[in-house]
Amino acid sequence: MSRIKGCFAQLKKENKKALIPYVAAGDPNPEITLDLMHSMVESGADIIELGVPFSDPMADGPVIQKASERALIYGTSLTDVLGIIKSFRETNNDTPVVLMGYLNPIEVMGYETFAQAANEAGVDGVLTVDIPPEEAADYIPVLKAAELDPIFLLSPTTTKERMALICKYASGFIYYVAVKGVTGTSALDTTEVANRLDIIKQVTDLPVGVGFGIKNAETAAAIGAVAEAVVVGSALVNLVEQNAHALSNAEGNKKIITEISKVLLSMRTALDA
Amino acid sequence: MTTQTQSQPEKRLSDMPDEHGHFGQYGGIFVPETLMEPLNELKQAYIHYLQDPEFIAELDNDLSNYVGRPSPLYFAERWSRELGGAKIYLKREDLNHTGAHKVNNTVGQMLLAKRMGKTRIIAETGAGQHGVATATVAARLGLECVVYMGAEDIQRQALNVYRMKLLGAHVISVESGSRTLKDALNEAMRDWVTNIDNTFYIIGTAAGPHPYPAMVRDFQAIIGREAKEQIMTHEGRLPDALVACIGGGSNAIGLFYPFVDDMEVSIYGVEAAGHGLETGEHAAPLCAGKPGVLHGNRTYLMEDRHGQIIPTHSVSAGLDYPGVGPEHSWLKDIGRANYVAVTDEEALKGFHDLTLTEGIMPALESSHAIAYVTKLAPTMDKDQIIIMNLSGRGDKDIHTVATIAGIEF
């Protein structure tokens, strides 16, 4: 059983919801990421979503764009990100890790090479923001052959027919984008989300995670009441930005890790209440 | 788009793209999920209205009476004589309303927006020509217009920024990434994702996700259709060569497309070699890049070995783009078109050459095509014919040209 599938099965048994934090790898410097991943697990993360920095993050709002830019100052590449995950796996063999990023760095590496390397590094799922299933006939089988779950987005504009098509290719979980907009957008309508989740549930048995617009423990709890997983990104990356220019990297990193832990703990508590 | 008749079983080059927007391995739709349905709606509208006689009549009327088409095909007699080779004809897109070919496309897309009931128009712009052309047609229909422009380009093209503002557009300075055209496109996409209910995104070049590359081409193909008719009137035969500059490639594909099945016509697209291809400081993905995925389509890109898009350079803001329309990538790979590059220096010389010999001041973008014609024409016979697309006029670039010459106003 894949780590992601196992994770959701276990949570279901415990009647709990998954907390999925997103951070960009290498933000604000490459040193932080490994420690941050371990600390997020200790603070209640069930799955970690790790952003692969890209120069042109079309689907991301200003907060995650800047995270990409900060990571790229150090030249954090897809290869570097896989290296970080490999190190993470030395002491953590349980927490699923999902890569989230754009297609071009993967194209340049080559689908086969990437899938092989990701599998060896201990990656569990891959969410490629800008490749819909229609363009992924060569891509999805390569991921699946390397035991990587292809994670796909559904959005408020996705028709029921497309939902069925996408869910046919997806495994692991489905990521529902709660708002029309880029990452970090505000104004999340939980009633509307619940309605959409009802429709999604008609076409798939996969667990559904909801993201884009989850800011704090309250929204996390509200979403957790209707979905199997809550994805929180910009709210955490904001904390990176606020502390990225501390006196030294070492001090800044410590502060960032503490602040992110606090938010995750509060979300964990709210989700489990 | 058109249904194949049974008498025409052979596939022509002009039948591309396929229904999913693929030109061979290029093109396609590589966007976040939120945009899939809006793109599908746009595709349906585009397919429907391009076969709707009422829509076509309205478009033709606007092109004649608002844009000022047909644009002349002018025989540059003195310049041809000086170069001592082929006869050079200039397709005078610089004489269109707003001074460039861009308006052909914005008029068309604006009519689509109106038919689709959209009330808010957004656009990206590099040199500002597409922004001006969009602001122009938005003003005419009284629609809200937001133009995204890289902070870097806003400095280089202050005149066009002011023109857009005079036309009532809201110009938003894009501070992310390299602060140029590619980042403006990212930002416009983000706006579209957020405001899809009421917003129509007018992409200015023949790139982006399907149906944009095909749709922009179809609106720009009026250039080549007219040129074909005009050269038959002037010379009674097809030209031997076509030359056009390429940033994203909309003026070029507009000229080339109606000729792609005429295999006796050679096609040359001219990219910006900037400081020289060997310096890495250029904007020539077809000549020096590799295939990849950016801005919704697979095409040749300028990227590093990790797949990050790298900064481009050209003296001409309109060519300063790391990608190119997917149809050009395909025409390159199948060998139907030749892609070459000329440097900033060569383009500037072309600007002065045409200004002095013909009394026509070209845009710096078009000056790249001019520079290549000065190399190509002398290698051809005197009875051979070149059609070059003079895609825009140079007024907007006078400041840049003067600054390079060390002149301050």
Side-chain angles (χ1 to χ4, degrees):
Chain A
M1 192 189 291
S2 80
R3 272 194 205 97
I4 295 175
K5 203 170 174 185
C7 172
F8 277 104
Q10 181 63 30
L11 287 168
K12 193 172 180 186
K13 228 184 326 180
E14 296 170 14
N15 200 20
K16 285 169 76 174
K17 300 303 170 83
L19 177 59
I20 310 181
Y22 165 98
V23 291
D27 174 33
N29 52 65
E31 289 77 42
I32 193 174
T33 309
L34 181 61
D35 293 343
L36 181 56
M37 288 172 78
H38 285 306
S39 130
M40 290 195 298
V41 174
E42 282 161 26
S43 311
D46 298 296
I47 296 172
I48 291 176
E49 203 173 287
L50 206 51
V52 181
F54 183 50
S55 54
D56 293 78
M58 192 168 78
D60 286 300
V63 172
I64 291 176
Q65 283 171 48
K66 282 188 211 141
S68 250
E69 285 181 20
R70 284 191 297 268
L72 286 174
I73 292 173
Y74 293 91
T76 306
S77 67
L78 180 52
T79 312
D80 296 336
V81 178
L82 295 178
I84 293 169
I85 295 167
K86 203 167 190 171
S87 307
F88 176 74
R89 284 279 172 249
E90 285 170 12
T91 53
N92 182 322
N93 201 30
D94 304 318
T95 309
V97 175
V98 172
L99 291 182
M100 181 168 183
Y102 294 79
L103 184 60
N104 202 49
I106 294 171
E107 283 240 336
V108 166
M109 189 180 276
Y111 293 168
E112 301 269 354
T113 312
F114 162 72
Q116 201 54 45
N119 171 289
E120 280 165 20
V123 174
D124 301 288
V126 182
L127 198 175
T128 320
V129 178
D130 54 350
I131 186 165
E134 288 90 335
E135 297 285 357
D138 304 338
Y139 182 51
I140 296 168
V142 174
L143 294 183
K144 288 194 168 166
E147 294 173 339
L148 299 167
D149 285 319
I151 316 286
F152 283 99
L153 300 173
L154 298 181
S155 89
T157 57
T158 310
T159 60
K160 197 173 171 186
E161 293 71 45
R162 267 191 69 73
M163 282 181 186
L165 172 88
I166 293 168
C167 291
K168 211 171 70 188
Y169 295 105
S171 61
F173 66 96
I174 288 287
Y175 187 138
Y176 179 64
V177 174
V179 291
K180 289 178 193 165
V182 292
T183 49
T185 318
S186 52
L188 177 126
D189 180 345
T190 40
T191 321
E192 174 62 21
V193 171
N195 290 340
R196 298 292 293 180
L197 291 181
D198 282 344
I199 303 173
I200 296 170
K201 287 295 171 192
Q202 291 167 24
V203 301
T204 184
D205 296 329
L206 287 172
V208 181
V210 175
F212 284 40
I214 290 164
K215 298 259 181 246
N216 48 38
E218 288 77 52
T219 37
I223 293 300
V226 291
E228 281 93 348
V230 171
V231 187
V232 53
S234 296
L236 304 182
V237 177
N238 250 328
L239 297 171
V240 178
E241 182 171 342
Q242 284 163 20
N243 296 291
H245 304 296
L247 287 175
S248 68
N249 278 1
E251 268 178 64
N253 288 356
K254 224 167 111 185
K255 182 95 188 294
I256 289 165
I257 289 173
T258 313
E259 295 287 317
I260 287 181
S261 290
K262 259 194 254 173
V263 173
L264 288 180
L265 282 169
S266 74
M267 289 183 168
R268 182 77 265 169
T269 310
L271 277 174
D272 294 346
Chain B
M1 195 180 58
T2 47
T3 43
Q4 285 283 351
T5 56
Q6 283 175 343
S7 60
Q8 230 171 25
E10 229 171 277
K11 215 165 161 57
R12 296 165 307 177
L13 298 183
S14 56
D15 291 334
M16 297 295 257
D18 68 16
E19 60 169 319
H20 304 295
H22 295 123
F23 300 89
Q25 64 157 317
Y26 301 105
I29 304 181
F30 294 87
V31 295
E33 176 58 26
T34 312
L35 288 179
M36 290 302 288
E37 192 50 32
L39 282 168
N40 187 41
E41 281 169 27
L42 176 62
K43 185 175 89 175
Q44 300 306 332
Y46 146 74
I47 289 171
H48 173 77
Y49 286 113
L50 257 68
Q51 292 172 339
D52 172 23
E54 227 172 274
F55 180 89
I56 297 297
E58 194 175 343
L59 178 61
D60 286 348
N61 182 58
D62 280 356
L63 289 174
S64 310
N65 299 313
Y66 189 67
V67 175
R69 304 205 69 91
S71 68
L73 185 70
Y74 165 73
F75 175 39
E77 197 174 352
R78 181 164 174 234
W79 191 40
S80 303
R81 202 164 54 234
E82 287 209 349
L83 293 175
K87 295 174 80 170
I88 305 157
Y89 282 86
L90 303 176
K91 183 60 176 161
R92 298 291 309 274
E93 293 299 301
D94 61 317
L95 294 177
N96 293 339
H97 179 42
T98 73
H101 71 289
K102 292 290 186 188
V103 73
N104 301 327
N105 171 49
T106 59
V107 161
Q109 288 200 46
M110 189 64 77
L111 284 181
L112 262 185
K114 202 171 87 176
R115 291 287 204 283
M116 291 175 75
K118 304 291 184 185
T119 56
R120 181 173 174 271
I121 302 299
I122 60 169
E124 86 295 337
T125 198
Q129 290 303 101
H130 173 59
V132 167
T134 304
T136 299
V137 290
R140 184 173 168 237
L141 293 180
L143 296 180
E144 183 191 349
C145 179
V146 175
V147 179
Y148 290 92
M149 189 166 183
E152 195 86 6
D153 292 333
I154 284 185
Q155 281 191 343
R156 292 197 276 192
Q157 302 285 341
L159 187 65
N160 271 344
V161 174
Y162 187 53
R163 284 169 83 191
M164 288 184 268
K165 287 181 179 166
L166 287 174
L167 289 159
H170 186 42
V171 180
I172 297 183
S173 173
V174 178
E175 306 284 348
S176 58
S178 62
R179 300 154 33 120
T180 58
L181 176 57
K182 82 171 174 75
D183 309 287
L185 221 147
N186 289 331
E187 210 51 44
M189 283 280 184
R190 291 176 189 126
D191 179 314
W192 198 33
V193 171
T194 311
N195 301 295
I196 39 181
D197 292 333
N198 68 345
T199 298
F200 191 103
Y201 178 15
I202 300 191
I203 294 185
T205 194
H210 183 62
Y212 283 102
M215 178 169 70
V216 174
R217 173 198 71 195
D218 289 345
F219 286 133
Q220 291 293 359
I222 182 91
I223 301 171
R225 283 200 304 274
E226 283 177 7
K228 203 169 189 178
E229 230 181 273
Q230 289 163 321
I231 201 69
M232 292 309 285
T233 309
H234 287 298
E235 298 279 352
R237 69 175 185 90
L238 292 176
D240 298 282
L242 305 174
V243 180
C245 67
I246 299 208
S250 71
N251 91 82
I253 205 69
L255 175 66
F256 298 168
Y257 180 65
F259 292 94
V260 290
D261 294 318
D262 302 312
M263 301 307 281
E264 67 271 36
V265 180
S266 303
I267 296 177
Y268 298 90
V270 188
E271 293 192 304
H275 295 313
L277 293 182
E278 69 289 352
T279 66
E281 293 171 10
H282 57 79
L286 288 167
C287 291
K290 279 187 314 189
V293 172
L294 178 71
H295 292 151
N297 66 111
R298 184 177 278 120
T299 192
Y300 276 86
L301 297 177
M302 292 187 48
E303 59 188 359
D304 69 13
R305 65 195 172 91
H306 299 298
Q308 308 296 347
I309 307 307
I310 55 176
T312 52
H313 166 79
S314 170
V315 67
S316 139
L319 302 186
D320 212 346
Y321 179 63
V324 63
E327 194 162 5
H328 290 296
S329 295
W330 174 66
L331 290 172
K332 172 192 160 78
D333 279 12
I334 62 167
R336 175 63 188 98
N338 309 288
Y339 293 93
V340 296
V342 304
T343 63
D344 287 353
E345 206 178 320
E346 291 170 314
L348 278 160
K349 184 176 176 301
F351 172 92
H352 291 294
D353 283 355
L354 195 75
T355 305
L356 285 172
T357 54
E358 293 290 348
I360 297 172
M361 205 173 284
L364 283 176
E365 289 78 20
S366 322
S367 300
H368 286 72
I370 294 165
Y372 189 69
V373 168
T374 62
K375 297 182 188 183
L376 180 66
T379 69
M380 295 167 68
D381 292 335
K382 284 197 166 67
D383 60 352
Q384 288 190 296
I385 300 164
I386 296 173
I387 297 181
M388 190 206 96
N389 201 10
L390 187 55
S391 55
R393 69 177 183 224
D395 309 46
K396 69 178 175 64
D397 294 314
I398 288 178
H399 204 83
T400 306
V401 173
T403 305
I404 290 167
I407 297 161
E408 269 184 62
F409 297 115

